[in-house]
PDB file of all heavy atoms in Angstrom:
ATOM      1  N   ARG A 393       4.365   0.723  11.430  1.00  0.00           N
ATOM      2  CA  ARG A 393       3.821   1.991  11.040  1.00  0.00           C
ATOM      3  C   ARG A 393       2.336   2.047  11.451  1.00  0.00           C
ATOM      4  O   ARG A 393       1.454   1.960  10.630  1.00  0.00           O
ATOM      5  CB  ARG A 393       3.986   2.163   9.542  1.00  0.00           C
ATOM      6  CG  ARG A 393       5.403   2.262   8.986  1.00  0.00           C
ATOM      7  CD  ARG A 393       6.111   3.504   9.484  1.00  0.00           C
ATOM      8  NE  ARG A 393       5.508   4.677   8.993  1.00  0.00           N
ATOM      9  CZ  ARG A 393       5.794   5.231   7.813  1.00  0.00           C
ATOM     10  NH1 ARG A 393       6.778   4.635   7.024  1.00  0.00           N
ATOM     11  NH2 ARG A 393       5.249   6.347   7.439  1.00  0.00           N
ATOM     12  N   PRO A 394       2.062   2.130  12.725  1.00  0.00           N
ATOM     13  CA  PRO A 394       0.661   2.144  13.266  1.00  0.00           C
ATOM     14  C   PRO A 394      -0.142   3.288  12.636  1.00  0.00           C
ATOM     15  O   PRO A 394       0.376   4.390  12.496  1.00  0.00           O
ATOM     16  CB  PRO A 394       0.859   2.262  14.739  1.00  0.00           C
ATOM     17  CG  PRO A 394       2.186   2.844  14.950  1.00  0.00           C
ATOM     18  CD  PRO A 394       3.047   2.314  13.848  1.00  0.00           C
ATOM     19  N   GLY A 395      -1.370   2.983  12.267  1.00  0.00           N
ATOM     20  CA  GLY A 395      -2.308   3.967  11.792  1.00  0.00           C
ATOM     21  C   GLY A 395      -2.120   4.351  10.289  1.00  0.00           C
ATOM     22  O   GLY A 395      -2.761   5.296   9.825  1.00  0.00           O
ATOM     23  N   GLN A 396      -1.224   3.635   9.615  1.00  0.00           N
ATOM     24  CA  GLN A 396      -0.986   3.883   8.183  1.00  0.00           C
ATOM     25  C   GLN A 396      -1.046   2.678   7.332  1.00  0.00           C
ATOM     26  O   GLN A 396      -0.529   1.607   7.717  1.00  0.00           O
ATOM     27  CB  GLN A 396       0.443   4.522   8.047  1.00  0.00           C
ATOM     28  CG  GLN A 396       0.846   4.784   6.601  1.00  0.00           C
ATOM     29  CD  GLN A 396       0.070   5.881   5.905  1.00  0.00           C
ATOM     30  OE1 GLN A 396       0.237   7.056   6.290  1.00  0.00           O
ATOM     31  NE2 GLN A 396      -0.708   5.545   4.915  1.00  0.00           N
ATOM     32  N   SER A 397      -1.751   2.754   6.166  1.00  0.00           N
ATOM     33  CA  SER A 397      -1.830   1.636   5.274  1.00  0.00           C
ATOM     34  C   SER A 397      -1.096   2.025   3.995  1.00  0.00           C
ATOM     35  O   SER A 397      -0.822   3.174   3.694  1.00  0.00           O
ATOM     36  CB  SER A 397      -3.289   1.294   4.895  1.00  0.00           C
ATOM     37  OG  SER A 397      -3.955   0.812   6.056  1.00  0.00           O
ATOM     38  N   PHE A 398      -0.639   1.014   3.228  1.00  0.00           N
ATOM     39  CA  PHE A 398       0.098   1.170   2.041  1.00  0.00           C
ATOM     40  C   PHE A 398      -0.487   0.382   0.860  1.00  0.00           C
ATOM     41  O   PHE A 398      -1.026  -0.701   1.103  1.00  0.00           O
ATOM     42  CB  PHE A 398       1.596   0.756   2.224  1.00  0.00           C
ATOM     43  CG  PHE A 398       2.303   1.557   3.246  1.00  0.00           C
ATOM     44  CD1 PHE A 398       2.171   1.286   4.610  1.00  0.00           C
ATOM     45  CD2 PHE A 398       3.024   2.681   2.911  1.00  0.00           C
ATOM     46  CE1 PHE A 398       2.840   2.061   5.595  1.00  0.00           C
ATOM     47  CE2 PHE A 398       3.637   3.462   3.813  1.00  0.00           C
ATOM     48  CZ  PHE A 398       3.590   3.165   5.194  1.00  0.00           C
ATOM     49  N   LEU A 399      -0.354   0.977  -0.334  1.00  0.00           N
ATOM     50  CA  LEU A 399      -0.781   0.273  -1.523  1.00  0.00           C
ATOM     51  C   LEU A 399       0.443  -0.339  -2.263  1.00  0.00           C
ATOM     52  O   LEU A 399       1.381   0.409  -2.624  1.00  0.00           O
ATOM     53  CB  LEU A 399      -1.507   1.248  -2.475  1.00  0.00           C
ATOM     54  CG  LEU A 399      -1.944   0.648  -3.824  1.00  0.00           C
ATOM     55  CD1 LEU A 399      -3.066  -0.388  -3.600  1.00  0.00           C
ATOM     56  CD2 LEU A 399      -2.495   1.792  -4.758  1.00  0.00           C
ATOM     57  N   LEU A 400       0.460  -1.610  -2.363  1.00  0.00           N
ATOM     58  CA  LEU A 400       1.585  -2.338  -3.082  1.00  0.00           C
ATOM     59  C   LEU A 400       1.123  -2.519  -4.528  1.00  0.00           C
ATOM     60  O   LEU A 400       0.078  -2.951  -4.874  1.00  0.00           O
ATOM     61  CB  LEU A 400       1.794  -3.718  -2.465  1.00  0.00           C
ATOM     62  CG  LEU A 400       2.733  -4.591  -3.263  1.00  0.00           C
ATOM     63  CD1 LEU A 400       4.157  -4.130  -3.147  1.00  0.00           C
ATOM     64  CD2 LEU A 400       2.631  -6.046  -2.809  1.00  0.00           C
ATOM     65  N   GLN A 401       2.121  -2.166  -5.370  1.00  0.00           N
ATOM     66  CA  GLN A 401       1.898  -2.392  -6.829  1.00  0.00           C
ATOM     67  C   GLN A 401       3.198  -3.077  -7.354  1.00  0.00           C
ATOM     68  O   GLN A 401       4.234  -2.521  -7.206  1.00  0.00           O
ATOM     69  CB  GLN A 401       1.743  -1.052  -7.602  1.00  0.00           C
ATOM     70  CG  GLN A 401       0.661  -0.143  -7.085  1.00  0.00           C
ATOM     71  CD  GLN A 401      -0.713  -0.520  -7.752  1.00  0.00           C
ATOM     72  OE1 GLN A 401      -0.772  -1.318  -8.619  1.00  0.00           O
ATOM     73  NE2 GLN A 401      -1.751   0.151  -7.240  1.00  0.00           N
ATOM     74  N   LEU A 402       3.030  -4.247  -7.935  1.00  0.00           N
ATOM     75  CA  LEU A 402       4.102  -4.962  -8.570  1.00  0.00           C
ATOM     76  C   LEU A 402       3.711  -5.264  -9.976  1.00  0.00           C
ATOM     77  O   LEU A 402       2.662  -5.927 -10.211  1.00  0.00           O
ATOM     78  CB  LEU A 402       4.521  -6.207  -7.866  1.00  0.00           C
ATOM     79  CG  LEU A 402       5.802  -6.962  -8.299  1.00  0.00           C
ATOM     80  CD1 LEU A 402       6.454  -7.708  -7.173  1.00  0.00           C
ATOM     81  CD2 LEU A 402       5.480  -7.885  -9.396  1.00  0.00           C
ATOM     82  N   VAL A 403       4.452  -4.750 -10.964  1.00  0.00           N
ATOM     83  CA  VAL A 403       4.167  -4.996 -12.388  1.00  0.00           C
ATOM     84  C   VAL A 403       5.445  -5.419 -13.066  1.00  0.00           C
ATOM     85  O   VAL A 403       6.399  -4.669 -13.151  1.00  0.00           O
ATOM     86  CB  VAL A 403       3.639  -3.725 -13.064  1.00  0.00           C
ATOM     87  CG1 VAL A 403       3.263  -4.034 -14.498  1.00  0.00           C
ATOM     88  CG2 VAL A 403       2.444  -3.157 -12.368  1.00  0.00           C
ATOM     89  N   GLY A 404       5.494  -6.696 -13.496  1.00  0.00           N
ATOM     90  CA  GLY A 404       6.753  -7.137 -14.129  1.00  0.00           C
ATOM     91  C   GLY A 404       7.896  -7.050 -13.154  1.00  0.00           C
ATOM     92  O   GLY A 404       7.871  -7.637 -12.057  1.00  0.00           O
ATOM     93  N   ARG A 405       8.889  -6.265 -13.515  1.00  0.00           N
ATOM     94  CA  ARG A 405      10.053  -6.145 -12.664  1.00  0.00           C
ATOM     95  C   ARG A 405       9.999  -4.880 -11.747  1.00  0.00           C
ATOM     96  O   ARG A 405      10.913  -4.656 -10.975  1.00  0.00           O
ATOM     97  CB  ARG A 405      11.299  -6.002 -13.580  1.00  0.00           C
ATOM     98  CG  ARG A 405      11.541  -7.164 -14.505  1.00  0.00           C
ATOM     99  CD  ARG A 405      12.505  -6.743 -15.643  1.00  0.00           C
ATOM    100  NE  ARG A 405      11.835  -5.749 -16.500  1.00  0.00           N
ATOM    101  CZ  ARG A 405      12.482  -5.106 -17.454  1.00  0.00           C
ATOM    102  NH1 ARG A 405      13.763  -5.286 -17.600  1.00  0.00           N
ATOM    103  NH2 ARG A 405      11.801  -4.162 -18.141  1.00  0.00           N
ATOM    104  N   ARG A 406       8.916  -4.131 -11.829  1.00  0.00           N
ATOM    105  CA  ARG A 406       8.821  -2.854 -11.099  1.00  0.00           C
ATOM    106  C   ARG A 406       7.832  -2.979  -9.920  1.00  0.00           C
ATOM    107  O   ARG A 406       6.688  -3.476 -10.071  1.00  0.00           O
ATOM    108  CB  ARG A 406       8.346  -1.778 -12.089  1.00  0.00           C
ATOM    109  CG  ARG A 406       8.194  -0.422 -11.562  1.00  0.00           C
ATOM    110  CD  ARG A 406       8.047   0.599 -12.719  1.00  0.00           C
ATOM    111  NE  ARG A 406       7.119   0.109 -13.719  1.00  0.00           N
ATOM    112  CZ  ARG A 406       5.818   0.288 -13.637  1.00  0.00           C
ATOM    113  NH1 ARG A 406       5.310   0.889 -12.597  1.00  0.00           N
ATOM    114  NH2 ARG A 406       5.018  -0.127 -14.607  1.00  0.00           N
ATOM    115  N   ALA A 407       8.246  -2.495  -8.780  1.00  0.00           N
ATOM    116  CA  ALA A 407       7.418  -2.553  -7.587  1.00  0.00           C
ATOM    117  C   ALA A 407       7.449  -1.239  -6.858  1.00  0.00           C
ATOM    118  O   ALA A 407       8.474  -0.550  -6.753  1.00  0.00           O
ATOM    119  CB  ALA A 407       7.888  -3.697  -6.672  1.00  0.00           C
ATOM    120  N   THR A 408       6.298  -0.810  -6.308  1.00  0.00           N
ATOM    121  CA  THR A 408       6.149   0.408  -5.560  1.00  0.00           C
ATOM    122  C   THR A 408       5.361   0.126  -4.270  1.00  0.00           C
ATOM    123  O   THR A 408       4.412  -0.711  -4.334  1.00  0.00           O
ATOM    124  CB  THR A 408       5.536   1.532  -6.332  1.00  0.00           C
ATOM    125  OG1 THR A 408       4.239   1.151  -6.761  1.00  0.00           O
ATOM    126  CG2 THR A 408       6.361   1.925  -7.565  1.00  0.00           C
ATOM    127  N   LEU A 409       5.596   0.820  -3.208  1.00  0.00           N
ATOM    128  CA  LEU A 409       4.817   0.819  -2.056  1.00  0.00           C
ATOM    129  C   LEU A 409       4.563   2.249  -1.586  1.00  0.00           C
ATOM    130  O   LEU A 409       5.510   2.930  -1.218  1.00  0.00           O
ATOM    131  CB  LEU A 409       5.607   0.001  -0.931  1.00  0.00           C
ATOM    132  CG  LEU A 409       4.783  -0.428   0.315  1.00  0.00           C
ATOM    133  CD1 LEU A 409       3.702  -1.428  -0.049  1.00  0.00           C
ATOM    134  CD2 LEU A 409       5.710  -1.013   1.333  1.00  0.00           C
ATOM    135  N   ARG A 410       3.327   2.669  -1.734  1.00  0.00           N
ATOM    136  CA  ARG A 410       3.050   4.077  -1.441  1.00  0.00           C
ATOM    137  C   ARG A 410       1.930   4.198  -0.460  1.00  0.00           C
ATOM    138  O   ARG A 410       1.102   3.303  -0.341  1.00  0.00           O
ATOM    139  CB  ARG A 410       2.729   4.839  -2.744  1.00  0.00           C
ATOM    140  CG  ARG A 410       1.549   4.269  -3.517  1.00  0.00           C
ATOM    141  CD  ARG A 410       1.419   4.865  -4.899  1.00  0.00           C
ATOM    142  NE  ARG A 410       1.160   6.293  -4.893  1.00  0.00           N
ATOM    143  CZ  ARG A 410       1.034   7.018  -5.985  1.00  0.00           C
ATOM    144  NH1 ARG A 410       1.124   6.383  -7.160  1.00  0.00           N
ATOM    145  NH2 ARG A 410       0.773   8.289  -5.939  1.00  0.00           N
ATOM    146  N   PRO A 411       1.851   5.284   0.318  1.00  0.00           N
ATOM    147  CA  PRO A 411       0.789   5.469   1.325  1.00  0.00           C
ATOM    148  C   PRO A 411      -0.599   5.374   0.690  1.00  0.00           C
ATOM    149  O   PRO A 411      -0.836   5.859  -0.365  1.00  0.00           O
ATOM    150  CB  PRO A 411       1.093   6.823   1.875  1.00  0.00           C
ATOM    151  CG  PRO A 411       2.521   7.074   1.638  1.00  0.00           C
ATOM    152  CD  PRO A 411       2.815   6.388   0.344  1.00  0.00           C
ATOM    153  N   PHE A 412      -1.496   4.679   1.361  1.00  0.00           N
ATOM    154  CA  PHE A 412      -2.867   4.531   0.950  1.00  0.00           C
ATOM    155  C   PHE A 412      -3.668   5.677   1.666  1.00  0.00           C
ATOM    156  O   PHE A 412      -3.370   6.094   2.762  1.00  0.00           O
ATOM    157  CB  PHE A 412      -3.427   3.183   1.428  1.00  0.00           C
ATOM    158  CG  PHE A 412      -4.752   2.844   0.787  1.00  0.00           C
ATOM    159  CD1 PHE A 412      -4.890   2.649  -0.588  1.00  0.00           C
ATOM    160  CD2 PHE A 412      -5.872   2.728   1.553  1.00  0.00           C
ATOM    161  CE1 PHE A 412      -6.070   2.317  -1.158  1.00  0.00           C
ATOM    162  CE2 PHE A 412      -7.144   2.390   1.003  1.00  0.00           C
ATOM    163  CZ  PHE A 412      -7.233   2.201  -0.367  1.00  0.00           C
ATOM    164  N   PRO A 413      -4.692   6.275   0.947  1.00  0.00           N
ATOM    165  CA  PRO A 413      -5.305   7.418   1.471  1.00  0.00           C
ATOM    166  C   PRO A 413      -5.976   7.259   2.883  1.00  0.00           C
ATOM    167  O   PRO A 413      -6.051   8.281   3.589  1.00  0.00           O
ATOM    168  CB  PRO A 413      -6.416   7.707   0.438  1.00  0.00           C
ATOM    169  CG  PRO A 413      -5.930   7.138  -0.861  1.00  0.00           C
ATOM    170  CD  PRO A 413      -5.163   5.842  -0.410  1.00  0.00           C
ATOM    171  N   LYS A 414      -6.376   6.097   3.239  1.00  0.00           N
ATOM    172  CA  LYS A 414      -6.952   5.920   4.545  1.00  0.00           C
ATOM    173  C   LYS A 414      -6.416   4.673   5.204  1.00  0.00           C
ATOM    174  O   LYS A 414      -5.994   3.745   4.494  1.00  0.00           O
ATOM    175  CB  LYS A 414      -8.510   5.889   4.495  1.00  0.00           C
ATOM    176  CG  LYS A 414      -9.084   4.703   3.778  1.00  0.00           C
ATOM    177  CD  LYS A 414     -10.564   4.734   3.843  1.00  0.00           C
ATOM    178  CE  LYS A 414     -11.223   3.509   3.251  1.00  0.00           C
ATOM    179  NZ  LYS A 414     -12.681   3.460   3.423  1.00  0.00           N
ATOM    180  N   PHE A 415      -6.507   4.595   6.471  1.00  0.00           N
ATOM    181  CA  PHE A 415      -5.983   3.497   7.278  1.00  0.00           C
ATOM    182  C   PHE A 415      -7.048   2.331   7.252  1.00  0.00           C
ATOM    183  O   PHE A 415      -8.175   2.498   7.496  1.00  0.00           O
ATOM    184  CB  PHE A 415      -5.694   3.868   8.743  1.00  0.00           C
ATOM    185  CG  PHE A 415      -5.312   2.718   9.603  1.00  0.00           C
ATOM    186  CD1 PHE A 415      -4.177   1.937   9.299  1.00  0.00           C
ATOM    187  CD2 PHE A 415      -6.122   2.310  10.639  1.00  0.00           C
ATOM    188  CE1 PHE A 415      -3.812   0.872  10.067  1.00  0.00           C
ATOM    189  CE2 PHE A 415      -5.765   1.200  11.473  1.00  0.00           C
ATOM    190  CZ  PHE A 415      -4.632   0.491  11.183  1.00  0.00           C
ATOM    191  N   GLU A 416      -6.474   1.128   6.907  1.00  0.00           N
ATOM    192  CA  GLU A 416      -7.324  -0.044   6.919  1.00  0.00           C
ATOM    193  C   GLU A 416      -6.533  -1.096   7.696  1.00  0.00           C
ATOM    194  O   GLU A 416      -5.470  -1.517   7.249  1.00  0.00           O
ATOM    195  CB  GLU A 416      -7.626  -0.594   5.512  1.00  0.00           C
ATOM    196  CG  GLU A 416      -8.477   0.451   4.694  1.00  0.00           C
ATOM    197  CD  GLU A 416      -9.122  -0.181   3.463  1.00  0.00           C
ATOM    198  OE1 GLU A 416      -9.027  -1.389   3.279  1.00  0.00           O
ATOM    199  OE2 GLU A 416      -9.716   0.587   2.707  1.00  0.00           O
ATOM    200  N   PRO A 417      -7.020  -1.550   8.836  1.00  0.00           N
ATOM    201  CA  PRO A 417      -6.230  -2.371   9.683  1.00  0.00           C
ATOM    202  C   PRO A 417      -5.960  -3.759   9.159  1.00  0.00           C
ATOM    203  O   PRO A 417      -4.932  -4.405   9.417  1.00  0.00           O
ATOM    204  CB  PRO A 417      -7.050  -2.502  11.007  1.00  0.00           C
ATOM    205  CG  PRO A 417      -8.426  -2.183  10.527  1.00  0.00           C
ATOM    206  CD  PRO A 417      -8.282  -1.174   9.394  1.00  0.00           C
ATOM    207  N   ASP A 418      -6.808  -4.261   8.244  1.00  0.00           N
ATOM    208  CA  ASP A 418      -6.642  -5.612   7.670  1.00  0.00           C
ATOM    209  C   ASP A 418      -5.716  -5.394   6.424  1.00  0.00           C
ATOM    210  O   ASP A 418      -5.547  -4.273   5.894  1.00  0.00           O
ATOM    211  CB  ASP A 418      -7.973  -6.240   7.251  1.00  0.00           C
ATOM    212  CG  ASP A 418      -8.740  -5.423   6.280  1.00  0.00           C
ATOM    213  OD1 ASP A 418      -8.708  -4.173   6.381  1.00  0.00           O
ATOM    214  OD2 ASP A 418      -9.398  -6.006   5.438  1.00  0.00           O
ATOM    215  N   CYS A 419      -5.174  -6.533   5.924  1.00  0.00           N
ATOM    216  CA  CYS A 419      -4.308  -6.560   4.722  1.00  0.00           C
ATOM    217  C   CYS A 419      -4.916  -7.491   3.694  1.00  0.00           C
ATOM    218  O   CYS A 419      -5.491  -8.496   4.017  1.00  0.00           O
ATOM    219  CB  CYS A 419      -2.928  -7.059   5.106  1.00  0.00           C
ATOM    220  SG  CYS A 419      -2.085  -6.118   6.425  1.00  0.00           S
ATOM    221  N   ARG A 420      -4.856  -7.084   2.435  1.00  0.00           N
ATOM    222  CA  ARG A 420      -5.401  -7.828   1.342  1.00  0.00           C
ATOM    223  C   ARG A 420      -4.410  -7.823   0.156  1.00  0.00           C
ATOM    224  O   ARG A 420      -3.887  -6.750  -0.164  1.00  0.00           O
ATOM    225  CB  ARG A 420      -6.768  -7.305   0.932  1.00  0.00           C
ATOM    226  CG  ARG A 420      -7.756  -7.230   2.000  1.00  0.00           C
ATOM    227  CD  ARG A 420      -9.148  -6.823   1.475  1.00  0.00           C
ATOM    228  NE  ARG A 420      -9.197  -5.565   0.808  1.00  0.00           N
ATOM    229  CZ  ARG A 420      -9.223  -4.418   1.436  1.00  0.00           C
ATOM    230  NH1 ARG A 420      -9.210  -4.388   2.794  1.00  0.00           N
ATOM    231  NH2 ARG A 420      -9.292  -3.276   0.742  1.00  0.00           N
TER     232      ARG A 420
END
């Protein structure tokens, strides 16, 4: 998915991956 970043949220048994407002080429 070039040019798009995602915010990962995992809490207990629940996980979501949703688009991040701006593109950041590195991952953290």
Side-chain angles (χ1 to χ4, degrees):
R393 298 292 297 271
Q396 174 70 67
S397 294
F398 295 86
L399 178 66
L400 171 72
Q401 304 275 354
L402 186 151
V403 184
R405 301 161 296 170
R406 181 167 45 84
T408 59
L409 193 66
R410 59 192 296 181
F412 192 66
K414 66 176 183 175
F415 173 62
E416 298 196 5
D418 60 325
C419 302
R420 303 187 301 280

